[in-house]
Amino acid sequence: MGISRRQFLTGSAIATAAGALSLTGCAPSGKASSSQAPSDASIATMGSGMGKHGNIQIEVVTNGGKIERIDVVKSRETSGLGDTCMDKLSKLIVDNQTLNVDTVTGATLSSMAFLGAVSEALDSAGEKSSEWKKRDKALQPAPENLETTYDVIVIGTGGAGFTAAISAANKGKKVLLMEKLGVFGGSTALSGGEMAVPSNWIQSNLSIADSPATLAEDMLKGGDYRGDPELVNVIANGVFDAAQWLTFEGGVSWEHDLLFFGGHSVKRSIIPTGHIGNAMTTKLTTRAKTVDNITLIDNTKATELVKGADGRIGGVKATNTVTGDELSFTCKAVVMACGGFGANVEMRAKANPDFGEQFNSTDSVGAQGDGLDMASKIGAELIDMDLIQTYPICDVDNGALIYLDDMRLDERTIMFNKEGKRFVEELGRRDVLSKAILAQTGEMAYEIWDQKAADDTKVVDIHIDEFENLSSRKLCVKADTLEEVCEPFGIDAAELKKTVDTWNSYVDAGKDTEFNYRGKMSKISTPPYYVVAYKPAVHYTMGGLHINPKAEVLDASGTPIPGLFAAGEVAGHKMGTNRLGSTSMADIYTFGRVAGNNAADFVA
Ligand code: ADP
């Protein structure tokens, strides 16, 4: 029996059984060995590897001992991160006919899965991947003919950096946008992407009354009034325009629904299509590439801000992280958009010992606080550095954000502990939830929802890769009865049953007399049930560079450093002691525009 064009091999076991496929004749060529295939024939073999979001499968086409092509057949790796790294690695491998390549920084897991899959496919084709790994090393190419003089340099390609760069370029300025990792997007790409926008179009459809003043008050209150009201007002008053800008300039599209984030007084957070921040950063990457006067480069780490004799910013020194080459750029203004320091354990512990190595982090590996080091060396003031936020609902193994938690923000889950008891109001502030979780058995807790919630919200379908990943590690369980769903976790099922019955009685009564739940309550009564386990991880650093409402970076005397601007998580004093969910997107896109526009005007 012949095999069809797409029935390729998935590893050596199948290779031996079925043989590699000669593409010239579209017929199996017997045992998977190049010596048994016609020398002028192309052979397609498959390989697989476990990526960040499940199994990836690739097809390698070899001919006469050379790789002609590598195609990704199946992958759920994050768009803009995992897929970008696979594209880059494919090109490098094919162009240089070697497997001696480095992983792409910022997408290490996807890179390793991809390289493992290519090795497997090569072995199935009768090549020796171990030999290919010993060939000459190929490096990601540095940009060719890179100019060294710009009007504005923007450091970091999260939401703030893209927005600042596009805004400055749209004012006619020549912009360099640099990223130290091999992929763009920063922590923004890993976030849920939801954005608090008062008086938005969906709220008007749902007759939800809201205003910028209400958002400002919620943010200030949510941060115990430690945030700077002037900075908060810039965000609250500018975020509606920023959302419009993202839509029309950035090409971002939105779901027709809202989420209710903890600590907000009304439901106001718009959701990018796909429910993840990379839906924004991939669009912004595309946009930045089409704007003529933006030069966008990766693998370039800013290391030093250069001040001229006149005290103005005059340039940036940087290192190509692949080649190690030192680079020197001149410019008239810099926008720091390099994110926070949540991934830098040492810096965290120094800023506040309560948030040291005891916590994992949800952040991009790029969140190392480089911007704080560089700017403070030229006199910038750091503020609120000890204020660090954990996200309550994170993977207990690795600290990744659990996107299935959208179920809670969709008002469809209750939180409970190993003893089966609720212990906190589910829509409370992140710091309140985190503290409450850490006080439970095992410093962790659980959420439960039912099939009706899954059907109504589609949250499980949207995040099916995460559901499968957590399920494979028994950190999320779906089962027909409460007993079964509790069993793998050792949760007290009898007590959870009482808790769920009590919750359902609150739904009937229209009031939660225990914790005063602020959202719309729905019963949990339609099996199968889902339970997910979680614990807090460091998510956001509220401190950073001290800025004024024009996004100018201030020195210790409160005077702006001429030509130095900052936007996004690198800039502190906006969120007070605790950032409310979905206000980071509000901040980065609003202040990204302010910083980009003002940097452009400064240069003029
Ligand atoms: P924000 O949400 O404020 O936009 P993100 O964390 O999303 O911040 O993005 C910040 C980006 O800045 C990350 O991609 C990070 O890798 C990048 N970055 C951090 N430090 C540097 C540096 N020294 N040079 C270039 N890029 C940097």
Side-chain angles (χ1 to χ4, degrees):
M1 190 180 74
I3 58 175
S4 76
R5 169 98 176 52
R6 285 284 140 197
Q7 280 174 296
F8 296 124
L9 305 178
T10 51
S12 49
I14 304 174
T16 312
L21 185 66
S22 155
L23 291 184
T24 356
C26 285
S29 61
K31 197 161 180 286
S33 149
S34 54
S35 63
Q36 286 172 290
S39 63
D40 61 344
S42 296
I43 298 172
T45 49
M46 296 281 278
S48 64
M50 186 50 70
K52 195 169 177 198
H53 299 282
N55 207 32
I56 61 166
Q57 281 191 338
I58 56 107
E59 171 189 305
V60 173
V61 178
T62 50
N63 188 339
K66 286 188 118 188
I67 298 182
E68 289 185 325
R69 214 176 67 226
I70 304 173
D71 293 325
V72 178
V73 177
K74 183 184 138 202
S75 157
R76 290 194 299 217
E77 299 301 276
T78 313
S79 126
L81 303 178
D83 61 353
T84 302
C85 103
M86 292 192 271
D87 284 351
K88 283 184 165 192
L89 290 173
S90 288
K91 185 160 171 22
L92 203 59
I93 293 167
V94 174
D95 284 355
N96 298 282
Q97 296 295 312
T98 179
L99 263 187
N100 189 0
V101 295
D102 288 331
T103 55
V104 174
T105 52
T108 309
L109 277 180
S110 307
S111 299
M112 283 162 54
F114 179 81
L115 293 173
V118 174
S119 301
E120 186 181 72
L122 270 181
D123 289 335
S124 294
E127 293 292 322
K128 274 208 170 84
S129 62
S130 52
E131 294 299 322
W132 279 68
K133 287 175 191 160
K134 290 183 197 146
R135 293 185 177 184
D136 286 348
K137 184 159 193 165
L139 298 176
Q140 294 291 343
E144 278 171 25
N145 306 320
L146 185 61
E147 291 187 43
T148 54
T149 303
Y150 296 88
D151 295 318
V152 178
I153 294 181
V154 180
I155 305 172
T157 62
F162 277 119
T163 306
I166 296 168
S167 300
N170 282 346
K171 285 201 152 193
K173 302 304 165 202
K174 190 173 156 191
V175 177
L176 175 66
L177 174 56
M178 68 167 76
E179 169 58 51
K180 69 176 172 181
L181 301 178
V183 287
F184 302 124
S187 298
T188 307
L190 304 177
S191 75
E194 293 90 2
M195 180 162 166
V197 182
S199 309
N200 67 58
W201 51 98
I202 304 171
Q203 281 182 322
S204 22
N205 285 345
L206 299 173
S207 304
I208 297 173
D210 198 7
S211 67
T214 317
L215 170 60
E217 176 54 23
D218 285 351
M219 286 176 66
L220 287 167
K221 184 174 171 212
D224 297 317
Y225 297 97
R226 278 277 297 271
D228 178 344
E230 284 195 36
L231 299 180
V232 171
N233 279 332
V234 171
I235 299 169
N237 291 316
V239 66
F240 185 90
D241 285 349
Q244 300 282 311
W245 183 91
L246 272 175
T247 310
F248 298 112
E249 177 67 36
V252 174
S253 58
W254 309 94
E255 303 281 348
H256 298 283
D257 205 356
L258 299 172
L259 286 184
F260 199 152
F261 276 84
H264 290 265
S265 55
V266 294
K267 198 169 176 175
R268 58 161 69 99
S269 303
I270 58 173
I271 311 161
T273 305
H275 290 245
I276 176 163
N278 78 322
M280 296 157 147
T281 49
T282 49
K283 292 271 170 55
L284 291 170
T285 304
T286 306
R287 181 70 190 120
K289 284 179 178 167
T290 59
V291 176
D292 279 347
N293 37 351
I294 295 183
T295 302
L296 173 64
I297 52 173
D298 57 16
N299 294 321
T300 308
K301 178 179 175 175
T303 52
E304 192 182 327
L305 298 172
V306 183
K307 247 186 185 177
D310 55 1
R312 290 172 160 238
I313 290 295
V316 174
K317 291 197 173 155
T319 305
N320 182 306
T321 54
V322 173
T323 61
D325 290 345
E326 302 293 329
L327 306 163
S328 185
F329 301 101
T330 56
C331 64
K332 295 181 190 138
V334 167
V335 178
M336 308 296 285
C338 13
F341 59 97
N344 186 334
V345 178
E346 207 179 308
M347 197 184 265
R348 257 165 38 198
K350 191 167 161 221
N352 186 337
D354 289 346
F355 295 93
E357 62 184 1
Q358 57 272 48
F359 285 102
N360 280 322
S361 170
T362 65
D363 290 341
S364 153
V365 289
Q368 298 289 338
D370 301 359
L372 310 180
D373 282 340
M374 279 186 278
S376 57
K377 280 196 183 119
I378 60 156
E381 188 189 30
L382 303 184
I383 188 164
D384 293 347
M385 287 293 285
D386 59 324
L387 302 178
I388 295 174
Q389 173 175 80
T390 53
Y391 190 81
I393 317 293
C394 300
D395 192 310
V396 299
D397 288 339
N398 57 35
L401 272 182
I402 295 185
Y403 299 110
L404 290 171
D405 181 47
D406 280 0
M407 201 57 95
R408 178 176 61 90
L409 310 176
D410 258 320
E411 305 158 281
R412 298 304 290 261
T413 181
I414 56 173
M415 293 167 63
F416 63 96
N417 59 20
K418 193 162 183 185
E419 291 71 34
K421 294 195 166 121
R422 275 177 83 209
F423 54 91
V424 72
E425 193 242 330
E426 289 76 1
L427 293 180
R429 287 164 38 164
R430 290 172 172 180
D431 57 344
V432 174
L433 299 190
S434 294
K435 206 167 160 212
I437 295 162
L438 292 173
Q440 307 309 310
T441 304
E443 300 187 329
M444 59 185 289
Y446 309 87
E447 287 182 5
I448 181 168
W449 65 89
D450 67 359
Q451 189 58 42
K452 181 158 186 343
D455 292 342
D456 290 349
T457 63
K458 305 278 179 278
V459 166
V460 178
D461 296 340
I462 292 166
H463 300 297
I464 188 71
D465 57 326
E466 181 185 85
F467 172 70
E468 288 174 5
N469 180 312
L470 290 168
S471 302
S472 72
R473 289 182 286 135
K474 295 267 184 294
L475 294 174
C476 187
V477 173
K478 175 182 177 184
D480 286 332
T481 64
L482 288 180
E483 288 73 21
E484 286 170 284
V485 92
C486 286
E487 199 272 327
F489 300 105
I491 294 166
D492 184 333
E495 207 52 51
L496 180 64
K497 184 161 182 341
K498 278 191 219 159
T499 300
V500 170
D501 287 346
T502 306
W503 170 260
N504 289 342
S505 74
Y506 293 156
V507 180
D508 285 333
K511 187 157 178 53
D512 163 18
T513 48
E514 247 175 318
F515 294 102
N516 206 14
Y517 187 77
R518 78 189 70 187
K520 182 174 173 295
M521 294 188 284
S522 299
K523 284 194 178 176
I524 301 171
S525 54
T526 312
Y529 300 101
Y530 299 71
V531 167
V532 65
Y534 51 85
K535 71 191 311 181
V538 166
H539 182 54
Y540 190 85
T541 43
M542 270 80 70
L545 302 177
H546 194 182
I547 59 166
N548 64 17
K550 292 180 185 163
E552 294 168 320
V553 177
L554 306 175
D555 67 15
S557 70
T559 309
I561 297 172
L564 189 60
F565 299 81
E569 194 175 346
V570 74
H573 209 32
K574 293 161 293 190
M575 308 297 177
T577 57
N578 170 66
R579 179 174 73 72
L580 295 189
S582 74
T583 57
S584 176
M585 295 299 114
D587 166 34
I588 62 179
Y589 295 116
T590 306
F591 262 110
R593 296 179 74 209
V594 173
N597 286 328
N598 288 343
D601 291 347
F602 180 85
V603 163

